[in-house]
Amino acid sequence: MAGGKLASSRYPTQQMLITAIRRGEESALRELFVLYGPLLRDQAKKMSVPLGERDQLVQTLLDDIALHLAEVEIPPRELTSYIVSSLRNQIRTQHRHEARALEHNERAYGEYGASRERIVAECHSQYGMRASISSDTEVDPPLRSAIKKLADKSASQLTQEELTLMIGVGRYIPLRHLAEQLGLSHGAARVRVSRVRERFIKLAVQYLTTLEPREKREIERFFRRADVRLGPTSSNPNADVPHTGDKRGPQEQL
Amino acid sequence: MSYDEGLIDELMRLVAAEVEASERAAGVLDENLLAWIGEDLRKGLSGSERAKDEISATAFARRISARIAALRAEKALPQRELRYRAAPVVARVSRALTEAKDRHCATMLDLAVAAGVGRELWDEPCEQWLELPPDIEPSERFLALRVAGDSMSPVLESRDVILIELNASPKMDDLVVARIPDQGYVVKRVAAIKNGRLELSSFNPLYESMMIVRNRSSILGTVIARFKHE
């Protein structure tokens, strides 16, 4: 059964919330929307759902979730993960359908049939227009693809706590909240954040060599600006300790 | 090591956002972390965003609560085939109950007719009888009513027929036919029972719920079966 704590005074645990939803209590359904709406909209944003579609998507998903919770024999053990996974799966399916439709359209542009009209249409098609533009414009900017690769490496190489801290830093969450979440003192959290930076730099430097030259240049530029001296390490995959300059960084930002 | 932490944090931000958007996020964003992010996002809402959420949440709760109640009612009262016949003798409801029972039927009336303000249900002439399914034991306490309106949609649509047991004691979630001053008879769901009063609600969220005193004169009976109109 779901037993996780909730930031709700009326339903302190997920189990209490689910039980009340199963009874069809309006107050519990209201709570479900208020508790999860912002998180789901944020997840939709992270997964590139356009602003105008997010509210509707979240609303439809919460409709389905609430009805499912009311009917299902065994409710999910972890409600938050369950709801977020449902949203992510739905968005992924939607993206796949869109990609398939786009691919289908693209193929139609390239296929020649017996009709002359088709050839005329093809000459003035979107495909034709795009084909006349340099192929470079369609390539992902190098920084973006480098970041994607670094994200893959980070997800597989960093510990859960390190990733939590990294995401916390990424979301500008104050250090005292990070400390609370991890059950640490403020000082200990500061030290851990500092270690995560070091780990992250190490990891990034280690994987610089696996990046495409253009991607590599972008990350190296970042490090140069941050005064992380790469020295020979960027071209030597075995040397994974970066050198840093003397310049002191700004005060703790969190 | 000393370096510009702000810039490293900036790069970490970009990478962390990508981690969150990637397919691997499921393994990273565990229950606690998600709950924590959710709480942080809620705290960061502006006043207008919060107000908008409150309004949406209220509409959502009302709609889904009605839908959940409808699903429960659909399960509790499975739809049956409607079979009726002309009454052999047109008589007032009060007189026809026994005769209909003897022929495995229940007297049938239009709720719309019965709903007329100031009219007495028992005085209505009854021209049709509902044929009771074999699994329902006939009783003099049974009365069939043809539904009017969309307040109980999707469970009951206009012209569906309900079989009610007269003078039954309604419980939570029961569908009842109640007598409402100025409105006549209505079919509603018992949404709450508090201090001798009943909260009656509709399955259609566009209709407001109402409170009535719980007594014999306000509740005509409880719905025990529903029949789909042809």
Side-chain angles (χ1 to χ4, degrees):
Chain A
M1 279 299 259
K5 282 188 178 173
L6 281 181
S8 158
S9 51
R10 191 160 185 171
Y11 306 100
T13 66
Q14 291 183 353
Q15 187 175 345
M16 290 169 84
L17 180 71
I18 292 173
T19 307
I21 288 172
R22 290 164 79 85
R23 285 198 297 262
E25 281 180 22
E26 281 194 29
S27 53
L29 290 160
R30 245 182 124 270
E31 203 79 345
L32 178 79
F33 192 97
V34 171
L35 284 175
Y36 292 106
L39 177 64
L40 294 177
R41 286 196 298 269
D42 177 72
Q43 289 290 309
K45 179 183 170 187
K46 292 234 174 287
M47 293 189 74
S48 315
V49 174
L51 178 64
E53 293 172 21
R54 280 177 218 154
D55 282 350
Q56 188 58 47
L57 178 79
V58 168
Q59 197 144 312
T60 310
L61 180 94
L62 284 174
D63 279 14
D64 294 344
I65 296 272
L67 292 174
H68 179 71
L69 289 176
E71 287 211 299
V72 77
E73 291 285 321
I74 303 166
R77 287 171 64 86
E78 296 184 324
L79 185 60
T80 314
S81 303
Y82 171 75
I83 293 179
V84 169
S85 299
S86 306
L87 178 90
R88 296 175 76 96
N89 289 340
Q90 197 168 319
I91 295 173
R92 242 174 252 135
T93 308
Q94 201 174 313
H95 284 173
R96 264 199 295 272
H97 285 164
E98 283 166 7
R100 213 170 289 151
L102 186 67
E103 190 190 342
H104 179 79
N105 284 347
E106 296 285 299
R107 233 191 353 251
Y109 286 130
E111 280 170 1
Y112 299 96
S115 157
R116 281 181 193 170
E117 284 84 349
R118 249 197 210 178
I119 293 166
V120 172
E122 193 268 330
C123 291
H124 299 279
S125 68
Q126 189 186 2
Y127 174 83
M129 300 286 282
R130 224 179 294 149
S132 67
I133 302 171
S134 154
S135 62
D136 278 358
T137 55
E138 288 201 353
V139 177
D140 267 351
L143 180 60
R144 177 130 192 243
S145 57
I147 297 254
K148 270 190 175 164
K149 287 179 184 168
L150 277 181
D152 269 354
K153 295 293 174 202
S154 304
S156 61
Q157 303 283 312
L158 298 181
T159 64
Q160 180 69 35
E161 187 190 274
E162 286 168 337
L163 285 166
T164 303
L165 285 166
M166 195 164 97
I167 289 170
V169 170
R171 288 178 168 271
Y172 299 92
I173 290 173
L175 192 58
R176 64 190 159 84
H177 289 171
L178 279 170
E180 270 171 32
Q181 162 69 12
L182 296 168
L184 301 169
S185 68
H186 187 271
R190 185 192 295 268
V191 171
R192 302 271 176 104
V193 168
S194 213
R195 279 191 203 144
V196 168
R197 279 192 202 101
E198 311 263 323
R199 274 277 287 149
F200 174 72
I201 294 171
K202 226 178 203 180
L203 191 78
V205 170
Q206 197 175 353
Y207 286 100
L208 266 181
T209 49
T210 65
L211 300 176
E212 300 290 323
R214 280 152 48 94
E215 297 167 344
K216 190 174 154 190
R217 267 202 303 277
E218 289 293 331
I219 300 296
E220 281 177 340
R221 199 184 314 164
F222 230 112
F223 281 149
R224 259 202 312 279
R225 283 207 304 267
D227 225 6
V228 176
R229 275 197 282 122
L230 299 166
T233 51
S234 61
S235 54
N236 176 7
N238 298 320
D240 60 355
V241 182
H243 300 269
T244 54
D246 297 323
K247 185 180 149 192
R248 294 295 308 170
Q251 284 300 305
E252 177 63 75
Q253 301 234 331
L254 300 168
Chain B
M1 280 193 277
S2 69
Y3 42 76
D4 186 334
E5 290 174 353
L7 269 173
I8 294 300
D9 286 356
E10 197 51 51
L11 186 60
M12 282 211 304
R13 244 165 230 136
L14 295 170
V15 172
E18 201 56 51
V19 169
E20 281 194 68
S22 72
E23 297 214 4
R24 308 184 78 133
V28 177
L29 301 170
D30 69 359
E31 185 72 10
N32 283 341
L33 182 55
L34 284 170
W36 173 52
I37 291 172
E39 195 181 342
D40 186 69
L41 288 165
R42 280 196 306 280
K43 282 180 185 161
L45 289 179
S46 68
S48 62
E49 284 169 333
R50 207 176 290 267
K52 190 181 158 207
D53 257 10
E54 295 284 331
I55 293 168
S56 304
T58 303
F60 165 80
R62 200 177 150 85
R63 188 177 67 247
I64 299 301
S65 168
R67 187 75 194 106
I68 290 173
L71 287 171
R72 269 207 301 263
E74 279 167 348
K75 228 178 250 178
L77 297 169
Q79 220 165 54
R80 292 165 180 268
E81 190 190 348
L82 175 61
R83 296 178 69 182
Y84 57 89
R85 63 169 86 151
V89 181
V90 176
R92 288 175 181 177
V93 171
S94 55
R95 295 175 67 91
L97 287 173
T98 309
E99 201 172 335
K101 176 214 152 194
D102 292 343
R103 300 189 189 199
H104 207 92
C105 291
T107 50
M108 190 157 82
L109 277 182
D110 264 342
L111 192 63
V113 172
V117 179
R119 301 178 72 150
E120 196 47 66
L121 186 81
W122 310 111
D123 294 336
E124 292 296 333
C126 177
E127 294 173 358
Q128 283 184 329
W129 287 356
L130 170 77
E131 288 185 20
L132 295 175
D135 62 312
I136 295 181
E137 197 62 36
S139 163
E140 286 174 15
R141 288 153 59 91
F142 287 170
L143 176 67
L145 290 169
R146 199 184 289 277
V147 176
D150 64 349
S151 71
M152 295 302 273
S153 175
V155 181
L156 297 172
E157 303 290 352
S158 220
R159 299 195 56 73
D160 283 354
V161 171
I162 50 175
L163 181 66
I164 63 167
E165 186 176 357
L166 299 168
N167 300 326
S169 313
K171 304 181 300 294
M172 267 291 290
D173 266 347
D174 276 352
L175 301 194
V176 294
V177 174
R179 194 200 314 253
I180 307 292
D182 305 330
Q183 286 185 45
Y185 291 96
V186 293
V187 53
K188 297 285 171 207
R189 178 180 75 93
V190 178
I193 305 174
K194 296 175 206 159
N195 308 325
R197 288 166 70 83
L198 298 179
E199 183 185 342
L200 301 181
S201 67
S202 305
F203 291 130
N204 184 339
L206 297 175
Y207 289 81
E208 293 291 333
S209 58
M210 53 178 82
M211 296 295 291
I212 61 161
V213 178
R214 182 188 193 179
N215 59 33
R216 277 176 178 272
S217 66
S218 62
I219 300 292
L220 180 69
T222 307
V223 178
I224 59 166
R226 64 186 173 117
F227 302 82
K228 192 77 194 154
H229 76 89
E230 320 70 25

